[in-house]
Amino acid sequence: MAAIDGLPPLREVIQRHGLDAKKSLGQNFLLDLNLTQKIARTAGPLDDCTVIEVGPGPGGLTRAILSLGAKRVIAIERDARALPALQEISDHYPGRLTVIEGDALKVDFEALVPAGEPVRIIANLPYNVGTQLLVNWLLPKAWPPFYRSLTLMFQREVGLRIVAQEDDDHYGRLGVLAGWRTQARLAFDVPPQAFVPAPKVTSSVVHLEPIEHPLPCAAQALERVTQAAFGQRRKMLRQSLKPLGGEVLLAKVGIDPQRRAETLSVQEFVTLANAI
Ligand code: SAM
C-alpha cells in the first residue's frame, strides 16, 4: 500500500534498495511520515523557500518537506546507496529535488542557492556532524546569514546544551554561541523507538532563527573566551581566564573574578570577548 504521499512505504524502499543502516554513517532512519512532517512543519512555512536538507538517507524527511510544499529541496547525502531511492522521490516531484552526493562538512552551503533566495536548513544527522555543522552555521563572518532558520535533530543532551542559558548545568560554549546570534528553542523530543535502528538515547528537534542584530562582537574572540572559561568550568574566572588576562581583564569589564563561567550571561561573554 502506498504512503500518504503516494510513494511506497519507507520500510519497502529501504528493503528494495538494500539500505541496511550503517553505524559508521550514524544511520538511524525515521519511517513515520507523520513524525517527519511534524519536523518539517517546525521549520515554518516552506512554500516560498529552498530547503537544504543534510543527510536525507532513504528520504523520509525529504518526502515530508516536499509534501508540505517546499519550492525546492537540495539534499546532501554521503551514502551513495541512498541515491536510487532519492531518485524515485525526485521523479515523483519533478524539478523540485536536487541531490548532491558528498560530505556535508565540505560543502559551501551559501554557494548552493542564489543570493537573496529564502533558505531553510533541515536535518536529521549523526550528532557529531550536526554539532560541527551548527557551529559553522553560527559563526560566519557576515551576519545575518544566508538562511532563515535551522531545524536540526540532536541527541537530547546536545539539544539542551544548545538552548541552555546561564545558571543551567547544560550551559556552555554551544549555548553562548547559539544565544548570541539566534533565538533557539527545543521544539520536541523524539523517543528512541521512532528510529530504525533505535539509538540508545532520546533525541530532540531544535529550531534556531537568526537574530538580525546580535550584540557586536568578533566570533573568534567569543570562541576564545568561551573555550577558556568553560575549559575549566568548575574554576573561578580569575583562574580559567588567566591566559587571556585573568584578574586584569575581569577588572576592566567589572566582572567579579570569583564567579564561574556558567553564571555569565551571553551579554557578559560578549563584553569579555570585546575586551581581549
Ligand atoms: N534523514 C534521514 C531520516 O531522517 O530518516 C536519515 C537520517 S540518518 C540519522 C543520517 C543521514 O546522514 C544518513 O543518511 C547518513 O548517510 C547521512 N550522513 C552521515 N554523515 C554525513 C555527512 N558527513 N554528510 C552528508 N550526509 C551524511
Side-chain angles (χ1 to χ4, degrees):
M1 201 179 70
I4 42 178
D5 58 359
L7 281 158
L10 278 157
R11 215 172 270 283
E12 184 202 308
V13 173
I14 289 171
Q15 207 174 24
R16 194 156 37 85
H17 293 286
L19 295 176
D20 316 317
K22 271 195 194 167
K23 218 176 170 178
S24 61
L25 286 172
Q27 293 182 334
N28 301 93
F29 301 132
L30 292 170
L31 305 192
D32 177 352
L33 286 174
N34 289 315
L35 175 59
T36 53
Q37 285 199 339
K38 186 173 172 188
I39 298 169
R41 263 196 298 271
T42 302
L46 301 179
D47 45 346
D48 64 337
C49 286
T50 292
V51 173
I52 300 181
E53 188 198 353
V54 187
L61 189 51
T62 322
R63 285 165 58 169
I65 296 165
L66 286 161
S67 72
L68 288 176
K71 211 169 88 181
R72 193 170 157 228
V73 178
I74 302 173
I76 300 136
E77 173 56 60
R78 197 168 176 180
D79 187 352
R81 297 178 313 156
L83 301 186
L86 294 167
Q87 184 58 48
E88 288 177 8
I89 303 173
S90 182
D91 294 342
H92 190 75
Y93 292 99
R96 288 173 60 197
L97 173 63
T98 306
V99 180
I100 299 171
E101 184 192 345
D103 179 354
L105 289 169
K106 297 188 180 141
V107 168
D108 177 356
F109 287 90
E110 199 165 348
L112 294 177
V113 186
E117 195 164 308
V119 175
R120 294 192 189 275
I121 298 179
I122 304 180
N124 170 22
L125 268 177
Y127 95 100
N128 54 337
V129 180
T131 308
Q132 186 54 55
L133 284 173
L134 172 64
V135 171
N136 297 347
W137 287 324
L138 288 175
L139 295 181
K141 275 216 170 84
W143 200 266
F146 68 97
Y147 56 82
R148 219 179 241 193
S149 64
L150 305 170
T151 305
L152 311 170
M153 178 90 77
F154 289 98
Q155 291 189 347
R156 181 172 156 77
E157 195 56 29
V158 179
L160 290 173
R161 280 168 39 205
I162 295 165
V163 302
Q165 302 194 350
E166 68 266 32
D167 296 321
D168 177 332
D169 282 348
H170 292 93
Y171 188 53
R173 173 174 162 260
L174 269 183
V176 174
L177 298 182
W180 169 44
R181 279 184 156 174
T182 70
Q183 291 273 7
R185 68 183 170 87
L186 204 146
F188 58 93
D189 290 339
V190 183
Q193 59 275 20
F195 298 86
V196 175
K200 288 203 177 72
V201 296
T202 298
S203 301
S204 299
V205 173
V206 178
H207 181 74
L208 305 96
E209 293 193 0
I211 296 171
E212 204 165 332
H213 299 291
L215 296 167
C217 179
Q220 215 187 5
L222 192 60
E223 277 263 80
R224 281 179 68 199
V225 174
T226 49
Q227 251 157 22
F230 288 109
Q232 304 185 57
R233 62 185 295 140
R234 301 279 159 233
K235 296 239 167 85
M236 290 180 198
L237 291 168
R238 72 165 167 236
Q239 178 65 30
S240 57
L241 293 185
K242 226 174 205 163
L244 300 176
E247 299 225 32
V248 177
L249 170 71
L250 289 157
K252 193 160 118 191
V253 295
I255 292 178
D256 180 351
Q258 298 200 38
R259 287 173 65 187
R260 291 181 169 78
E262 69 204 36
T263 71
L264 293 192
S265 65
V266 169
Q267 190 174 351
E268 287 174 309
F269 271 111
V270 167
T271 307
L272 273 170
N274 285 332
I276 61 171

mmCIF file of all heavy atoms in Angstrom, residues 32-71:
data_model
loop_
_atom_site.group_PDB
_atom_site.id
_atom_site.type_symbol
_atom_site.label_atom_id
_atom_site.label_comp_id
_atom_site.label_asym_id
_atom_site.label_seq_id
_atom_site.Cartn_x
_atom_site.Cartn_y
_atom_site.Cartn_z
ATOM 1 N N ASP A 32 8.236 7.067 10.029
ATOM 2 C CA ASP A 32 6.863 7.526 10.227
ATOM 3 C C ASP A 32 6.688 8.910 9.577
ATOM 4 O O ASP A 32 7.243 9.904 10.053
ATOM 5 C CB ASP A 32 6.605 7.582 11.742
ATOM 6 C CG ASP A 32 5.224 8.127 12.070
ATOM 7 O OD1 ASP A 32 4.537 8.606 11.149
ATOM 8 O OD2 ASP A 32 4.854 8.084 13.255
ATOM 9 N N LEU A 33 5.906 8.949 8.502
ATOM 10 C CA LEU A 33 5.769 10.209 7.762
ATOM 11 C C LEU A 33 5.018 11.275 8.564
ATOM 12 O O LEU A 33 5.168 12.470 8.305
ATOM 13 C CB LEU A 33 5.091 9.970 6.414
ATOM 14 C CG LEU A 33 5.986 9.282 5.367
ATOM 15 C CD1 LEU A 33 5.203 8.950 4.109
ATOM 16 C CD2 LEU A 33 7.190 10.151 4.993
ATOM 17 N N ASN A 34 4.204 10.860 9.549
ATOM 18 C CA ASN A 34 3.571 11.875 10.405
ATOM 19 C C ASN A 34 4.629 12.594 11.226
ATOM 20 O O ASN A 34 4.574 13.808 11.414
ATOM 21 C CB ASN A 34 2.540 11.225 11.344
ATOM 22 C CG ASN A 34 1.327 10.768 10.563
ATOM 23 O OD1 ASN A 34 0.823 11.501 9.712
ATOM 24 N ND2 ASN A 34 0.888 9.542 10.814
ATOM 25 N N LEU A 35 5.600 11.820 11.707
ATOM 26 C CA LEU A 35 6.671 12.412 12.514
ATOM 27 C C LEU A 35 7.581 13.294 11.646
ATOM 28 O O LEU A 35 7.941 14.408 12.031
ATOM 29 C CB LEU A 35 7.490 11.305 13.203
ATOM 30 C CG LEU A 35 8.704 11.785 13.986
ATOM 31 C CD1 LEU A 35 8.323 12.764 15.091
ATOM 32 C CD2 LEU A 35 9.447 10.595 14.597
ATOM 33 N N THR A 36 7.922 12.813 10.457
ATOM 34 C CA THR A 36 8.812 13.629 9.613
ATOM 35 C C THR A 36 8.079 14.921 9.181
ATOM 36 O O THR A 36 8.691 15.979 9.077
ATOM 37 C CB THR A 36 9.346 12.857 8.390
ATOM 38 O OG1 THR A 36 8.256 12.288 7.675
ATOM 39 C CG2 THR A 36 10.308 11.757 8.803
ATOM 40 N N GLN A 37 6.746 14.831 9.019
ATOM 41 C CA GLN A 37 6.006 16.065 8.697
ATOM 42 C C GLN A 37 6.023 17.024 9.881
ATOM 43 O O GLN A 37 6.097 18.239 9.703
ATOM 44 C CB GLN A 37 4.569 15.725 8.305
ATOM 45 C CG GLN A 37 4.498 15.133 6.893
ATOM 46 C CD GLN A 37 3.112 15.211 6.293
ATOM 47 O OE1 GLN A 37 2.127 15.345 7.008
ATOM 48 N NE2 GLN A 37 3.027 15.102 4.982
ATOM 49 N N LYS A 38 5.952 16.461 11.098
ATOM 50 C CA LYS A 38 5.985 17.321 12.293
ATOM 51 C C LYS A 38 7.334 18.075 12.351
ATOM 52 O O LYS A 38 7.378 19.265 12.658
ATOM 53 C CB LYS A 38 5.799 16.451 13.545
ATOM 54 C CG LYS A 38 5.670 17.228 14.829
ATOM 55 C CD LYS A 38 5.316 16.315 15.991
ATOM 56 C CE LYS A 38 5.390 17.067 17.313
ATOM 57 N NZ LYS A 38 5.232 16.204 18.484
ATOM 58 N N ILE A 39 8.417 17.377 11.999
ATOM 59 C CA ILE A 39 9.744 18.030 11.992
ATOM 60 C C ILE A 39 9.772 19.127 10.920
ATOM 61 O O ILE A 39 10.192 20.256 11.169
ATOM 62 C CB ILE A 39 10.863 16.997 11.728
ATOM 63 C CG1 ILE A 39 10.888 15.950 12.841
ATOM 64 C CG2 ILE A 39 12.221 17.678 11.587
ATOM 65 C CD1 ILE A 39 11.758 14.743 12.549
ATOM 66 N N ALA A 40 9.276 18.774 9.732
ATOM 67 C CA ALA A 40 9.314 19.740 8.621
ATOM 68 C C ALA A 40 8.445 20.964 8.945
ATOM 69 O O ALA A 40 8.825 22.100 8.627
ATOM 70 C CB ALA A 40 8.852 19.076 7.334
ATOM 71 N N ARG A 41 7.294 20.723 9.602
ATOM 72 C CA ARG A 41 6.411 21.852 9.956
ATOM 73 C C ARG A 41 7.080 22.782 10.968
ATOM 74 O O ARG A 41 6.835 23.986 10.980
ATOM 75 C CB ARG A 41 5.082 21.334 10.519
ATOM 76 C CG ARG A 41 3.980 21.290 9.458
ATOM 77 C CD ARG A 41 2.611 21.150 10.088
ATOM 78 N NE ARG A 41 2.503 19.913 10.832
ATOM 79 C CZ ARG A 41 2.102 18.757 10.306
ATOM 80 N NH1 ARG A 41 1.734 18.706 9.049
ATOM 81 N NH2 ARG A 41 2.042 17.677 11.038
ATOM 82 N N THR A 42 7.936 22.214 11.823
ATOM 83 C CA THR A 42 8.634 23.018 12.833
ATOM 84 C C THR A 42 9.490 24.098 12.177
ATOM 85 O O THR A 42 9.725 25.160 12.749
ATOM 86 C CB THR A 42 9.522 22.090 13.710
ATOM 87 O OG1 THR A 42 8.685 21.112 14.299
ATOM 88 C CG2 THR A 42 10.250 22.854 14.804
ATOM 89 N N ALA A 43 9.943 23.815 10.962
ATOM 90 C CA ALA A 43 10.809 24.774 10.262
ATOM 91 C C ALA A 43 10.065 26.055 9.899
ATOM 92 O O ALA A 43 10.683 27.100 9.710
ATOM 93 C CB ALA A 43 11.388 24.123 9.007
ATOM 94 N N GLY A 44 8.731 25.995 9.802
ATOM 95 C CA GLY A 44 7.959 27.173 9.391
ATOM 96 C C GLY A 44 7.472 27.002 7.963
ATOM 97 O O GLY A 44 7.673 25.938 7.365
ATOM 98 N N PRO A 45 6.827 28.046 7.403
ATOM 99 C CA PRO A 45 6.295 27.924 6.040
ATOM 100 C C PRO A 45 7.403 27.605 5.045
ATOM 101 O O PRO A 45 8.478 28.197 5.105
ATOM 102 C CB PRO A 45 5.702 29.305 5.756
ATOM 103 C CG PRO A 45 5.657 30.021 7.064
ATOM 104 C CD PRO A 45 6.628 29.371 7.991
ATOM 105 N N LEU A 46 7.126 26.654 4.158
ATOM 106 C CA LEU A 46 8.192 26.207 3.246
ATOM 107 C C LEU A 46 7.931 26.601 1.786
ATOM 108 O O LEU A 46 8.813 26.471 0.956
ATOM 109 C CB LEU A 46 8.326 24.672 3.314
ATOM 110 C CG LEU A 46 8.642 24.071 4.690
ATOM 111 C CD1 LEU A 46 8.706 22.543 4.599
ATOM 112 C CD2 LEU A 46 9.964 24.611 5.217
ATOM 113 N N ASP A 47 6.692 27.075 1.512
ATOM 114 C CA ASP A 47 6.319 27.200 0.097
ATOM 115 C C ASP A 47 7.100 28.257 -0.673
ATOM 116 O O ASP A 47 7.208 28.172 -1.885
ATOM 117 C CB ASP A 47 4.804 27.399 -0.052
ATOM 118 C CG ASP A 47 4.254 28.408 0.924
ATOM 119 O OD1 ASP A 47 4.974 28.751 1.877
ATOM 120 O OD2 ASP A 47 3.122 28.873 0.723
ATOM 121 N N ASP A 48 7.684 29.253 0.022
ATOM 122 C CA ASP A 48 8.464 30.239 -0.720
ATOM 123 C C ASP A 48 9.963 29.978 -0.577
ATOM 124 O O ASP A 48 10.779 30.816 -0.914
ATOM 125 C CB ASP A 48 8.133 31.657 -0.220
ATOM 126 C CG ASP A 48 8.525 31.858 1.233
ATOM 127 O OD1 ASP A 48 8.636 30.844 1.967
ATOM 128 O OD2 ASP A 48 8.745 33.007 1.655
ATOM 129 N N CYS A 49 10.315 28.789 -0.038
ATOM 130 C CA CYS A 49 11.716 28.556 0.340
ATOM 131 C C CYS A 49 12.396 27.461 -0.464
ATOM 132 O O CYS A 49 11.765 26.507 -0.906
ATOM 133 C CB CYS A 49 11.798 28.085 1.788
ATOM 134 S SG CYS A 49 11.498 29.365 2.960
ATOM 135 N N THR A 50 13.720 27.597 -0.550
ATOM 136 C CA THR A 50 14.554 26.454 -0.897
ATOM 137 C C THR A 50 14.969 25.839 0.420
ATOM 138 O O THR A 50 15.428 26.544 1.322
ATOM 139 C CB THR A 50 15.809 26.906 -1.666
ATOM 140 O OG1 THR A 50 15.389 27.397 -2.931
ATOM 141 C CG2 THR A 50 16.777 25.743 -1.878
ATOM 142 N N VAL A 51 14.769 24.538 0.559
ATOM 143 C CA VAL A 51 15.203 23.851 1.767
ATOM 144 C C VAL A 51 16.497 23.106 1.454
ATOM 145 O O VAL A 51 16.581 22.395 0.456
ATOM 146 C CB VAL A 51 14.134 22.851 2.267
ATOM 147 C CG1 VAL A 51 14.668 22.023 3.431
ATOM 148 C CG2 VAL A 51 12.872 23.599 2.688
ATOM 149 N N ILE A 52 17.489 23.288 2.305
ATOM 150 C CA ILE A 52 18.692 22.460 2.212
ATOM 151 C C ILE A 52 18.551 21.384 3.268
ATOM 152 O O ILE A 52 18.376 21.688 4.452
ATOM 153 C CB ILE A 52 19.967 23.288 2.438
ATOM 154 C CG1 ILE A 52 20.075 24.388 1.378
ATOM 155 C CG2 ILE A 52 21.202 22.380 2.403
ATOM 156 C CD1 ILE A 52 21.321 25.267 1.504
ATOM 157 N N GLU A 53 18.550 20.131 2.826
ATOM 158 C CA GLU A 53 18.468 19.026 3.787
ATOM 159 C C GLU A 53 19.807 18.300 3.803
ATOM 160 O O GLU A 53 20.348 17.961 2.756
ATOM 161 C CB GLU A 53 17.354 18.029 3.428
ATOM 162 C CG GLU A 53 17.181 17.020 4.570
ATOM 163 C CD GLU A 53 16.441 15.732 4.206
ATOM 164 O OE1 GLU A 53 15.908 15.604 3.089
ATOM 165 O OE2 GLU A 53 16.433 14.836 5.071
ATOM 166 N N VAL A 54 20.317 18.060 4.989
ATOM 167 C CA VAL A 54 21.582 17.338 5.089
ATOM 168 C C VAL A 54 21.279 15.918 5.558
ATOM 169 O O VAL A 54 20.556 15.720 6.536
ATOM 170 C CB VAL A 54 22.542 18.046 6.068
ATOM 171 C CG1 VAL A 54 23.905 17.381 6.021
ATOM 172 C CG2 VAL A 54 22.665 19.516 5.728
ATOM 173 N N GLY A 55 21.816 14.920 4.842
ATOM 174 C CA GLY A 55 21.640 13.523 5.225
ATOM 175 C C GLY A 55 20.231 12.995 5.013
ATOM 176 O O GLY A 55 19.603 12.527 5.957
ATOM 177 N N PRO A 56 19.721 13.021 3.776
ATOM 178 C CA PRO A 56 18.351 12.545 3.541
ATOM 179 C C PRO A 56 18.171 11.037 3.696
ATOM 180 O O PRO A 56 17.048 10.576 3.938
ATOM 181 C CB PRO A 56 18.065 12.970 2.097
ATOM 182 C CG PRO A 56 19.423 13.050 1.454
ATOM 183 C CD PRO A 56 20.344 13.529 2.535
ATOM 184 N N GLY A 57 19.252 10.246 3.523
ATOM 185 C CA GLY A 57 19.130 8.783 3.636
ATOM 186 C C GLY A 57 18.052 8.271 2.697
ATOM 187 O O GLY A 57 17.987 8.677 1.527
ATOM 188 N N PRO A 58 17.147 7.407 3.173
ATOM 189 C CA PRO A 58 16.106 6.880 2.286
ATOM 190 C C PRO A 58 15.022 7.904 1.952
ATOM 191 O O PRO A 58 14.178 7.657 1.102
ATOM 192 C CB PRO A 58 15.512 5.715 3.086
ATOM 193 C CG PRO A 58 15.889 5.951 4.496
ATOM 194 C CD PRO A 58 17.130 6.795 4.503
ATOM 195 N N GLY A 59 15.039 9.055 2.635
ATOM 196 C CA GLY A 59 14.185 10.157 2.183
ATOM 197 C C GLY A 59 12.908 10.415 2.969
ATOM 198 O O GLY A 59 12.029 11.135 2.480
ATOM 199 N N GLY A 60 12.795 9.896 4.179
ATOM 200 C CA GLY A 60 11.569 10.117 4.960
ATOM 201 C C GLY A 60 11.304 11.594 5.214
ATOM 202 O O GLY A 60 10.193 12.100 4.988
ATOM 203 N N LEU A 61 12.348 12.304 5.645
ATOM 204 C CA LEU A 61 12.188 13.732 5.935
ATOM 205 C C LEU A 61 12.078 14.533 4.632
ATOM 206 O O LEU A 61 11.300 15.485 4.538
ATOM 207 C CB LEU A 61 13.393 14.182 6.781
ATOM 208 C CG LEU A 61 13.382 15.570 7.407
ATOM 209 C CD1 LEU A 61 12.101 15.836 8.181
ATOM 210 C CD2 LEU A 61 14.590 15.731 8.337
ATOM 211 N N THR A 62 12.808 14.095 3.627
ATOM 212 C CA THR A 62 12.766 14.759 2.305
ATOM 213 C C THR A 62 11.333 14.731 1.765
ATOM 214 O O THR A 62 10.818 15.738 1.261
ATOM 215 C CB THR A 62 13.670 13.983 1.300
ATOM 216 O OG1 THR A 62 14.821 13.530 1.981
ATOM 217 C CG2 THR A 62 14.022 14.829 0.111
ATOM 218 N N ARG A 63 10.700 13.561 1.874
ATOM 219 C CA ARG A 63 9.315 13.420 1.382
ATOM 220 C C ARG A 63 8.376 14.347 2.136
ATOM 221 O O ARG A 63 7.479 14.961 1.553
ATOM 222 C CB ARG A 63 8.885 11.956 1.509
ATOM 223 C CG ARG A 63 9.540 11.091 0.441
ATOM 224 C CD ARG A 63 9.444 9.622 0.722
ATOM 225 N NE ARG A 63 8.095 9.118 0.869
ATOM 226 C CZ ARG A 63 7.772 7.823 0.906
ATOM 227 N NH1 ARG A 63 8.738 6.912 0.766
ATOM 228 N NH2 ARG A 63 6.536 7.427 1.045
ATOM 229 N N ALA A 64 8.595 14.462 3.460
ATOM 230 C CA ALA A 64 7.738 15.340 4.260
ATOM 231 C C ALA A 64 7.914 16.792 3.813
ATOM 232 O O ALA A 64 6.931 17.523 3.630
ATOM 233 C CB ALA A 64 8.094 15.194 5.737
ATOM 234 N N ILE A 65 9.168 17.195 3.613
ATOM 235 C CA ILE A 65 9.452 18.588 3.223
ATOM 236 C C ILE A 65 8.789 18.898 1.872
ATOM 237 O O ILE A 65 8.157 19.935 1.680
ATOM 238 C CB ILE A 65 10.984 18.812 3.139
ATOM 239 C CG1 ILE A 65 11.618 18.638 4.519
ATOM 240 C CG2 ILE A 65 11.303 20.171 2.559
ATOM 241 C CD1 ILE A 65 13.146 18.474 4.495
ATOM 242 N N LEU A 66 8.891 17.952 0.945
ATOM 243 C CA LEU A 66 8.301 18.166 -0.384
ATOM 244 C C LEU A 66 6.775 18.139 -0.313
ATOM 245 O O LEU A 66 6.101 18.960 -0.942
ATOM 246 C CB LEU A 66 8.824 17.112 -1.362
ATOM 247 C CG LEU A 66 10.275 17.329 -1.803
ATOM 248 C CD1 LEU A 66 10.882 16.053 -2.383
ATOM 249 C CD2 LEU A 66 10.361 18.474 -2.832
ATOM 250 N N SER A 67 6.221 17.222 0.474
ATOM 251 C CA SER A 67 4.752 17.123 0.542
ATOM 252 C C SER A 67 4.154 18.354 1.208
ATOM 253 O O SER A 67 3.003 18.690 0.981
ATOM 254 C CB SER A 67 4.320 15.843 1.271
ATOM 255 O OG SER A 67 4.575 15.961 2.651
ATOM 256 N N LEU A 68 4.960 19.057 2.028
ATOM 257 C CA LEU A 68 4.457 20.285 2.652
ATOM 258 C C LEU A 68 4.648 21.502 1.748
ATOM 259 O O LEU A 68 4.392 22.627 2.153
ATOM 260 C CB LEU A 68 5.145 20.516 3.998
ATOM 261 C CG LEU A 68 4.717 19.551 5.110
ATOM 262 C CD1 LEU A 68 5.519 19.800 6.377
ATOM 263 C CD2 LEU A 68 3.230 19.673 5.411
ATOM 264 N N GLY A 69 5.147 21.274 0.546
ATOM 265 C CA GLY A 69 5.122 22.341 -0.453
ATOM 266 C C GLY A 69 6.401 23.129 -0.643
ATOM 267 O O GLY A 69 6.367 24.200 -1.266
ATOM 268 N N ALA A 70 7.546 22.640 -0.113
ATOM 269 C CA ALA A 70 8.794 23.380 -0.337
ATOM 270 C C ALA A 70 8.991 23.598 -1.835
ATOM 271 O O ALA A 70 8.788 22.680 -2.634
ATOM 272 C CB ALA A 70 9.979 22.606 0.234
ATOM 273 N N LYS A 71 9.383 24.810 -2.184
ATOM 274 C CA LYS A 71 9.564 25.140 -3.597
ATOM 275 C C LYS A 71 10.603 24.214 -4.210
ATOM 276 O O LYS A 71 10.433 23.673 -5.283
ATOM 277 C CB LYS A 71 10.049 26.595 -3.668
ATOM 278 C CG LYS A 71 9.618 27.325 -4.899
ATOM 279 C CD LYS A 71 9.908 28.803 -4.738
ATOM 280 C CE LYS A 71 11.322 29.108 -5.194
ATOM 281 N NZ LYS A 71 11.677 30.512 -5.052
#
